[in-house]
Amino acid sequence: LSSESKTLDGLNPHFVIIDEYHAHKSDELFNVLDSAMGSRQDPVMEIITTAGFNKTSPCYRFRDVAIKVLEGVIEQDDLFPYIFTMDADDDWEDSTLWRKSNPNLGISLRMEYMLDRYKAAKNNPSKLHEFKTKNLNLWVDAALVWIPDEVWMNCAGDILNLTGESCTGGLDLSSTRDLTALALCFQLPDGTDAYLWFFWMPEDNIAERVKNDRVPYDLWISQGFIRTTPGNVTDYDFIEADIMQLKSKYDIEAIAFDRWNSSQLVINLMSEGVNMVPFGQGYGSMSAPTKEFERTIFTRKMNHMGNPVMRWMISNVEIQRDPAGNIKIDKAKASEKVDGPVAAVMAKGQSMTPNDNIDINKIYGERGIRTL
Protein backbone atom coordinates (compact mmCIF):
# COMPACT_ATOMS: atom_id res chain seq x y z
CA LEU A 1 0.00 0.00 0.00
CA SER A 2 1.01 3.58 -0.50
CA SER A 3 2.28 5.47 2.53
CA GLU A 4 -0.37 8.12 1.78
CA SER A 5 -2.74 7.14 4.57
CA LYS A 6 -5.34 9.73 3.54
CA THR A 7 -6.13 7.72 0.41
CA LEU A 8 -6.81 4.48 2.30
CA ASP A 9 -10.13 5.27 3.96
CA GLY A 10 -12.76 2.59 3.36
CA LEU A 11 -10.48 -0.42 3.66
CA ASN A 12 -11.87 -3.51 5.40
CA PRO A 13 -8.89 -5.83 5.85
CA HIS A 14 -8.89 -9.13 7.74
CA PHE A 15 -5.09 -9.67 7.74
CA VAL A 16 -2.44 -6.95 7.60
CA ILE A 17 1.35 -7.25 7.42
CA ILE A 18 3.52 -4.22 8.14
CA ASP A 19 7.08 -4.87 7.02
CA GLU A 20 10.13 -2.88 8.19
CA TYR A 21 8.11 -0.73 10.56
CA HIS A 22 11.31 1.05 11.63
CA ALA A 23 11.26 2.95 8.32
CA HIS A 24 7.81 4.49 8.95
CA LYS A 25 8.16 8.21 9.59
CA SER A 26 4.80 8.43 11.35
CA ASP A 27 2.12 6.11 12.76
CA GLU A 28 -0.59 7.40 10.41
CA LEU A 29 -0.61 4.32 8.16
CA PHE A 30 -0.54 1.99 11.16
CA ASN A 31 -3.52 3.76 12.72
CA VAL A 32 -5.56 3.71 9.51
CA LEU A 33 -5.01 -0.03 9.01
CA ASP A 34 -5.61 -0.82 12.67
CA SER A 35 -8.93 1.01 12.76
CA ALA A 36 -9.95 -0.43 9.36
CA MET A 37 -10.07 -3.94 10.87
CA GLY A 38 -12.66 -2.91 13.44
CA SER A 39 -15.59 -4.70 11.75
CA ARG A 40 -13.74 -8.02 11.46
CA GLN A 41 -14.43 -10.83 13.93
CA ASP A 42 -10.83 -12.13 14.18
CA PRO A 43 -8.47 -9.62 12.53
CA VAL A 44 -4.70 -10.14 12.68
CA MET A 45 -1.91 -7.63 12.18
CA GLU A 46 1.70 -8.80 11.90
CA ILE A 47 4.54 -6.31 12.33
CA ILE A 48 7.93 -7.48 11.04
CA THR A 49 10.98 -5.27 11.37
CA THR A 50 14.65 -5.02 12.13
CA ALA A 51 15.92 -2.33 14.44
CA GLY A 52 16.60 1.13 13.04
CA PHE A 53 18.40 4.40 13.61
CA ASN A 54 15.60 6.65 14.85
CA LYS A 55 14.75 6.26 18.53
CA THR A 56 11.93 8.80 18.20
CA SER A 57 10.16 6.76 15.52
CA PRO A 58 6.72 5.15 16.02
CA CYS A 59 8.37 1.74 15.75
CA TYR A 60 10.69 2.40 18.68
CA ARG A 61 7.80 3.71 20.78
CA PHE A 62 5.79 0.58 19.92
CA ARG A 63 8.80 -1.54 20.90
CA ASP A 64 8.82 0.13 24.33
CA VAL A 65 5.20 -0.91 24.81
CA ALA A 66 6.00 -4.46 23.69
CA ILE A 67 8.87 -4.74 26.17
CA LYS A 68 6.66 -3.52 29.01
CA VAL A 69 4.11 -6.19 28.08
CA LEU A 70 6.83 -8.85 28.12
CA GLU A 71 8.10 -7.65 31.49
CA GLY A 72 4.58 -7.60 32.94
CA VAL A 73 4.65 -3.86 33.55
CA ILE A 74 1.45 -3.43 31.53
CA GLU A 75 -1.18 -5.84 30.25
CA GLN A 76 -2.31 -6.06 26.64
CA ASP A 77 -3.63 -9.51 25.85
CA ASP A 78 -4.15 -8.83 22.14
CA LEU A 79 -0.42 -8.15 21.64
CA PHE A 80 2.10 -10.97 21.24
CA PRO A 81 5.63 -9.51 21.11
CA TYR A 82 8.63 -11.60 20.07
CA ILE A 83 11.94 -9.71 20.00
CA PHE A 84 15.25 -11.30 18.99
CA THR A 85 18.05 -9.07 20.22
CA MET A 86 21.08 -8.91 22.49
CA ASP A 87 20.86 -7.70 26.07
CA ALA A 88 22.00 -4.22 27.01
CA ASP A 89 25.16 -5.40 28.78
CA ASP A 90 26.17 -7.88 26.05
CA ASP A 91 29.33 -7.33 24.03
CA TRP A 92 28.07 -6.94 20.47
CA GLU A 93 31.45 -8.17 19.17
CA ASP A 94 31.12 -11.53 20.95
CA SER A 95 30.05 -13.89 18.16
CA THR A 96 28.87 -16.50 20.68
CA LEU A 97 26.04 -14.10 21.60
CA TRP A 98 24.89 -13.36 18.06
CA ARG A 99 22.40 -16.23 18.21
CA LYS A 100 20.28 -14.08 20.54
CA SER A 101 19.54 -11.84 17.57
CA ASN A 102 19.63 -14.65 15.00
CA PRO A 103 17.92 -17.83 16.29
CA ASN A 104 18.44 -19.52 12.92
CA LEU A 105 22.18 -18.80 12.89
CA GLY A 106 23.99 -21.71 11.31
CA ILE A 107 20.89 -22.90 9.48
CA SER A 108 19.38 -20.34 7.11
CA LEU A 109 21.98 -17.72 8.11
CA ARG A 110 25.63 -18.75 7.77
CA MET A 111 28.12 -17.80 10.48
CA GLU A 112 30.66 -17.08 7.74
CA TYR A 113 28.35 -14.40 6.37
CA MET A 114 27.97 -12.81 9.82
CA LEU A 115 31.73 -12.80 10.33
CA ASP A 116 32.23 -11.13 6.95
CA ARG A 117 29.67 -8.44 7.85
CA TYR A 118 31.34 -7.97 11.23
CA LYS A 119 34.79 -7.49 9.65
CA ALA A 120 33.36 -4.98 7.17
CA ALA A 121 31.77 -3.04 10.05
CA LYS A 122 35.03 -2.99 12.00
CA ASN A 123 36.96 -1.68 8.99
CA ASN A 124 34.36 0.84 7.90
CA PRO A 125 32.45 2.90 10.50
CA SER A 126 29.62 3.77 8.09
CA LYS A 127 28.76 0.05 7.97
CA LEU A 128 28.78 -0.31 11.75
CA HIS A 129 25.25 1.02 12.19
CA GLU A 130 23.98 -1.24 9.44
CA PHE A 131 25.57 -4.32 11.01
CA LYS A 132 24.16 -3.52 14.44
CA THR A 133 20.65 -2.79 13.20
CA LYS A 134 20.25 -5.30 10.36
CA ASN A 135 22.34 -8.19 11.68
CA LEU A 136 22.16 -7.82 15.46
CA ASN A 137 18.78 -6.08 15.73
CA LEU A 138 20.21 -3.35 17.96
CA TRP A 139 18.77 0.16 17.95
CA VAL A 140 21.46 2.80 17.58
CA ASP A 141 21.59 6.56 17.42
CA ALA A 142 22.12 8.11 14.00
CA ALA A 143 25.02 10.39 14.94
CA LEU A 144 28.40 8.82 14.22
CA VAL A 145 31.88 10.09 13.58
CA TRP A 146 32.12 9.23 9.92
CA ILE A 147 35.89 9.24 9.47
CA PRO A 148 38.00 9.01 12.66
CA ASP A 149 40.78 11.59 12.67
CA GLU A 150 43.57 9.01 12.83
CA VAL A 151 42.16 7.26 9.75
CA TRP A 152 41.88 10.56 7.88
CA MET A 153 45.43 11.59 8.76
CA ASN A 154 46.77 8.26 7.48
CA CYS A 155 46.01 9.70 4.04
CA ALA A 156 48.08 12.87 4.49
CA GLY A 157 50.62 12.09 1.79
CA ASP A 158 53.30 14.17 0.12
CA ILE A 159 52.49 17.51 -1.51
CA LEU A 160 52.21 16.74 -5.22
CA ASN A 161 52.74 18.95 -8.25
CA LEU A 162 49.68 18.16 -10.37
CA THR A 163 50.08 20.93 -12.94
CA GLY A 164 48.69 19.85 -16.29
CA GLU A 165 47.12 16.68 -14.91
CA SER A 166 43.49 15.82 -15.69
CA CYS A 167 40.90 15.95 -12.93
CA THR A 168 37.21 16.35 -12.15
CA GLY A 169 35.76 18.98 -9.84
CA GLY A 170 32.96 19.49 -7.37
CA LEU A 171 31.71 22.99 -6.51
CA ASP A 172 29.69 23.55 -3.34
CA LEU A 173 28.33 27.08 -3.53
CA SER A 174 27.70 28.87 -0.26
CA SER A 175 25.24 31.44 0.81
CA THR A 176 26.49 34.97 0.23
CA ARG A 177 28.18 35.14 3.66
CA ASP A 178 29.55 31.63 4.00
CA LEU A 179 32.31 29.37 2.68
CA THR A 180 32.39 28.26 -0.94
CA ALA A 181 34.39 25.11 -1.71
CA LEU A 182 35.89 23.63 -4.87
CA ALA A 183 37.43 20.15 -4.83
CA LEU A 184 39.56 18.74 -7.63
CA CYS A 185 39.95 14.95 -7.80
CA PHE A 186 43.00 13.56 -9.63
CA GLN A 187 43.13 9.83 -10.34
CA LEU A 188 46.79 8.80 -10.21
CA PRO A 189 48.30 5.84 -12.11
CA ASP A 190 48.75 3.79 -8.90
CA GLY A 191 45.00 3.95 -8.20
CA THR A 192 45.27 6.69 -5.60
CA ASP A 193 42.92 9.68 -5.61
CA ALA A 194 44.70 12.98 -4.93
CA TYR A 195 42.61 16.00 -3.94
CA LEU A 196 43.12 19.72 -4.00
CA TRP A 197 40.65 22.00 -2.21
CA PHE A 198 40.03 25.70 -2.66
CA PHE A 199 37.92 27.73 -0.24
CA TRP A 200 36.59 31.27 -0.41
CA MET A 201 34.87 33.49 2.15
CA PRO A 202 34.13 37.25 2.47
CA GLU A 203 37.02 39.17 4.00
CA ASP A 204 34.94 41.47 6.23
CA ASN A 205 34.28 40.41 9.83
CA ILE A 206 36.88 37.62 9.80
CA ALA A 207 37.91 38.39 13.39
CA GLU A 208 34.29 38.30 14.54
CA ARG A 209 33.71 34.97 12.83
CA VAL A 210 36.85 33.51 14.38
CA LYS A 211 35.59 34.57 17.80
CA ASN A 212 32.01 33.37 17.30
CA ASP A 213 32.75 30.11 15.47
CA ARG A 214 35.96 29.35 17.43
CA VAL A 215 37.55 28.27 14.16
CA PRO A 216 41.00 29.59 13.06
CA TYR A 217 39.89 31.06 9.75
CA ASP A 218 42.50 33.82 10.12
CA LEU A 219 45.33 31.28 10.42
CA TRP A 220 44.13 29.31 7.40
CA ILE A 221 43.80 32.53 5.40
CA SER A 222 47.39 33.49 6.26
CA GLN A 223 48.55 30.00 5.27
CA GLY A 224 46.76 30.25 1.91
CA PHE A 225 44.19 27.52 2.50
CA ILE A 226 41.27 30.00 2.33
CA ARG A 227 40.97 32.86 -0.13
CA THR A 228 39.02 35.96 0.87
CA THR A 229 36.77 37.90 -1.48
CA PRO A 230 36.29 41.67 -1.10
CA GLY A 231 33.42 42.97 1.04
CA ASN A 232 31.01 41.27 3.44
CA VAL A 233 29.33 38.98 0.90
CA THR A 234 30.81 36.37 -1.40
CA ASP A 235 32.13 37.95 -4.60
CA TYR A 236 31.36 35.39 -7.30
CA ASP A 237 33.27 37.36 -9.93
CA PHE A 238 36.40 36.91 -7.81
CA ILE A 239 35.76 33.15 -7.54
CA GLU A 240 35.10 32.93 -11.29
CA ALA A 241 38.48 34.50 -12.03
CA ASP A 242 40.20 32.07 -9.65
CA ILE A 243 38.51 29.05 -11.22
CA MET A 244 39.51 30.19 -14.70
CA GLN A 245 43.12 30.40 -13.51
CA LEU A 246 42.82 26.88 -12.11
CA LYS A 247 41.42 25.69 -15.44
CA SER A 248 44.51 27.04 -17.21
CA LYS A 249 46.75 25.24 -14.70
CA TYR A 250 44.94 21.88 -14.50
CA ASP A 251 43.09 19.84 -17.11
CA ILE A 252 39.64 20.09 -15.51
CA GLU A 253 37.38 17.77 -17.48
CA ALA A 254 34.16 18.80 -15.70
CA ILE A 255 32.94 20.45 -12.51
CA ALA A 256 29.85 19.05 -10.80
CA PHE A 257 27.53 21.47 -8.99
CA ASP A 258 24.29 21.33 -7.02
CA ARG A 259 21.57 21.98 -9.59
CA TRP A 260 19.25 23.38 -6.89
CA ASN A 261 21.83 25.82 -5.55
CA SER A 262 23.34 27.19 -8.73
CA SER A 263 23.97 30.85 -9.41
CA GLN A 264 25.15 33.32 -12.00
CA LEU A 265 28.65 31.99 -11.30
CA VAL A 266 27.74 28.66 -12.92
CA ILE A 267 26.30 30.40 -15.98
CA ASN A 268 29.40 32.57 -16.32
CA LEU A 269 31.73 29.60 -16.04
CA MET A 270 29.77 27.73 -18.71
CA SER A 271 30.05 30.73 -21.01
CA GLU A 272 33.80 30.69 -20.38
CA GLY A 273 33.97 27.12 -21.67
CA VAL A 274 34.05 25.24 -18.35
CA ASN A 275 32.11 21.96 -18.52
CA MET A 276 29.66 22.46 -15.64
CA VAL A 277 27.57 19.37 -14.82
CA PRO A 278 24.46 19.48 -12.56
CA PHE A 279 24.73 16.93 -9.76
CA GLY A 280 21.80 15.81 -7.62
CA GLN A 281 22.07 15.90 -3.83
CA GLY A 282 19.75 12.98 -3.11
CA TYR A 283 20.68 9.40 -2.28
CA GLY A 284 20.51 8.33 -5.92
CA SER A 285 23.37 10.61 -6.92
CA MET A 286 25.33 10.93 -3.68
CA SER A 287 25.37 7.44 -2.15
CA ALA A 288 27.75 5.67 -4.55
CA PRO A 289 30.42 8.42 -4.62
CA THR A 290 30.14 8.90 -0.84
CA LYS A 291 30.83 5.20 -0.31
CA GLU A 292 33.66 5.24 -2.83
CA PHE A 293 35.18 8.37 -1.25
CA GLU A 294 34.98 6.58 2.09
CA ARG A 295 36.54 3.41 0.66
CA THR A 296 39.58 5.26 -0.68
CA ILE A 297 40.18 6.69 2.80
CA PHE A 298 40.02 3.38 4.66
CA THR A 299 42.17 1.61 2.06
CA ARG A 300 44.67 4.50 2.05
CA LYS A 301 44.03 5.12 -1.61
CA MET A 302 43.68 8.86 -1.05
CA ASN A 303 46.16 11.68 -0.67
CA HIS A 304 44.59 14.84 0.76
CA MET A 305 48.02 16.36 1.39
CA GLY A 306 47.15 17.36 4.95
CA ASN A 307 44.74 20.18 4.14
CA PRO A 308 43.83 21.56 7.63
CA VAL A 309 40.48 23.00 6.57
CA MET A 310 39.38 19.60 5.31
CA ARG A 311 40.62 17.92 8.47
CA TRP A 312 38.28 20.16 10.45
CA MET A 313 35.37 19.71 8.05
CA ILE A 314 35.65 15.91 7.96
CA SER A 315 35.25 15.89 11.74
CA ASN A 316 31.95 17.78 11.31
CA VAL A 317 30.32 15.27 8.97
CA GLU A 318 27.25 13.31 9.99
CA ILE A 319 26.04 10.62 7.63
CA GLN A 320 22.38 10.28 6.73
CA ARG A 321 21.04 6.83 5.80
CA ASP A 322 17.88 5.59 4.21
CA PRO A 323 16.27 2.19 4.98
CA ALA A 324 17.96 0.68 1.90
CA GLY A 325 21.43 1.43 3.26
CA ASN A 326 22.19 4.37 0.96
CA ILE A 327 24.22 7.15 2.54
CA LYS A 328 24.99 10.81 2.01
CA ILE A 329 26.45 13.70 3.97
CA ASP A 330 23.73 15.26 6.10
CA LYS A 331 24.08 18.97 5.40
CA ALA A 332 20.96 19.83 7.39
CA LYS A 333 22.24 18.32 10.65
CA ALA A 334 25.83 19.48 10.35
CA SER A 335 26.54 21.83 13.25
CA GLU A 336 29.70 23.04 11.49
CA LYS A 337 30.82 23.46 7.90
CA VAL A 338 30.94 20.43 5.57
CA ASP A 339 31.33 22.22 2.24
CA GLY A 340 34.70 20.62 1.45
CA PRO A 341 33.56 17.00 1.93
CA VAL A 342 30.41 17.64 -0.13
CA ALA A 343 32.49 19.16 -2.93
CA ALA A 344 34.89 16.19 -2.79
CA VAL A 345 32.06 13.65 -3.03
CA MET A 346 30.67 15.47 -6.08
CA ALA A 347 34.14 15.55 -7.65
CA LYS A 348 34.48 11.83 -7.01
CA GLY A 349 31.00 11.23 -8.39
CA GLN A 350 31.87 13.12 -11.56
CA SER A 351 34.98 10.97 -12.00
CA MET A 352 32.73 7.88 -11.78
CA THR A 353 30.34 9.20 -14.43
CA PRO A 354 30.63 7.57 -17.86
CA ASN A 355 32.03 9.65 -20.68
CA ASP A 356 29.39 12.16 -21.70
CA ASN A 357 30.95 12.71 -25.14
CA ILE A 358 28.97 9.88 -26.72
CA ASP A 359 27.22 10.29 -30.06
CA ILE A 360 23.74 9.11 -29.03
CA ASN A 361 22.36 9.66 -32.55
CA LYS A 362 25.04 7.39 -34.01
CA ILE A 363 24.41 4.60 -31.49
CA TYR A 364 20.64 4.60 -31.91
CA GLY A 365 20.88 5.21 -35.65
CA GLU A 366 22.82 1.98 -36.06
CA ARG A 367 19.85 0.23 -34.45
CA GLY A 368 17.26 1.88 -36.66
CA ILE A 369 16.04 4.34 -34.04
CA ARG A 370 15.80 8.03 -34.82
CA THR A 371 16.34 10.47 -31.91
CA LEU A 372 14.55 13.80 -31.72
Side-chain angles (χ1 to χ4, degrees), residues 11 13 16 18 27-40 43-45 47 62 76 78:
L11 289 178
V16 171
I18 295 180
D27 57 5
E28 293 179 358
L29 183 59
F30 176 98
N31 292 337
V32 167
L33 294 172
D34 188 39
S35 62
M37 296 190 295
S39 63
R40 293 289 186 170
V44 175
M45 176 186 287
I47 301 173
F62 190 85
Q76 188 174 339
D78 67 345

Side-chain angles (χ1 to χ4, degrees), residues 204-223:
D204 287 2
N205 303 319
I206 293 294
E208 182 180 348
R209 296 190 63 169
V210 169
K211 179 180 178 181
N212 293 337
D213 297 351
R214 298 183 180 180
V215 176
Y217 297 121
D218 52 349
L219 173 63
W220 293 335
I221 290 169
S222 67
Q223 293 175 335

Side-chain angles (χ1 to χ4, degrees), residues 26-190:
S26 74
D27 57 5
E28 293 179 358
L29 183 59
F30 176 98
N31 292 337
V32 167
L33 294 172
D34 188 39
S35 62
M37 296 190 295
S39 63
R40 293 289 186 170
Q41 188 67 29
D42 297 299
V44 175
M45 176 186 287
E46 285 190 4
I47 301 173
I48 311 166
T49 189
T50 62
F53 309 123
N54 185 2
K55 291 186 177 180
T56 64
S57 68
C59 180
Y60 192 79
R61 295 195 301 269
F62 190 85
R63 178 181 183 272
D64 280 342
V65 173
I67 291 174
K68 290 177 181 177
V69 170
L70 290 170
E71 293 176 343
V73 177
I74 59 176
E75 292 186 7
Q76 188 174 339
D77 290 340
D78 67 345
L79 177 62
F80 177 74
Y82 209 122
I83 302 174
F84 297 100
T85 189
M86 301 174 74
D87 294 306
D89 57 350
D90 284 341
D91 179 4
W92 69 272
E93 297 189 69
D94 185 348
S95 61
T96 64
L97 301 178
W98 291 349
R99 191 174 299 278
K100 289 184 176 183
S101 303
N102 301 277
N104 230 26
L105 187 60
I107 305 173
S108 62
L109 179 65
R110 296 181 299 109
M111 175 58 84
E112 292 80 7
Y113 171 83
M114 286 289 290
L115 290 171
D116 286 344
R117 295 299 89 205
Y118 164 74
K119 292 174 184 176
K122 287 288 288 183
N123 294 331
N124 192 336
S126 74
K127 295 183 181 297
L128 181 59
H129 277 25
E130 184 175 354
F131 178 74
K132 286 185 174 181
T133 56
K134 301 298 184 185
N135 299 109
L136 299 182
N137 207 26
L138 295 171
W139 284 81
V140 296
D141 293 314
L144 174 73
V145 175
W146 181 36
I147 308 294
D149 184 64
E150 62 273 17
V151 175
W152 176 254
M153 292 309 295
N154 283 338
C155 298
D158 296 334
I159 305 297
L160 303 177
N161 181 3
L162 298 168
T163 301
E165 299 294 332
S166 62
C167 61
T168 54
L171 180 65
D172 190 47
L173 292 170
S174 67
S175 63
T176 56
R177 295 178 180 272
D178 218 333
L179 279 166
T180 288
L182 172 69
L184 297 181
C185 175
F186 299 80
Q187 296 183 300
L188 306 183
D190 65 356

Side-chain angles (χ1 to χ4, degrees), residues 309-361:
V309 184
M310 269 299 295
R311 183 180 186 180
W312 167 63
M313 287 187 174
I314 280 290
S315 71
N316 299 332
V317 173
E318 287 190 25
I319 289 296
Q320 185 177 359
R321 298 170 176 80
D322 70 2
N326 296 307
I327 67 172
K328 66 176 183 175
I329 295 173
D330 193 340
K331 298 177 74 172
K333 288 187 179 179
S335 58
E336 301 285 357
K337 305 295 184 290
V338 294
D339 316 83
V342 171
V345 168
M346 287 196 289
K348 183 60 185 174
Q350 186 58 39
S351 75
M352 297 165 62
T353 302
N355 186 358
D356 291 327
N357 299 320
I358 298 174
D359 189 343
I360 298 296
N361 288 293

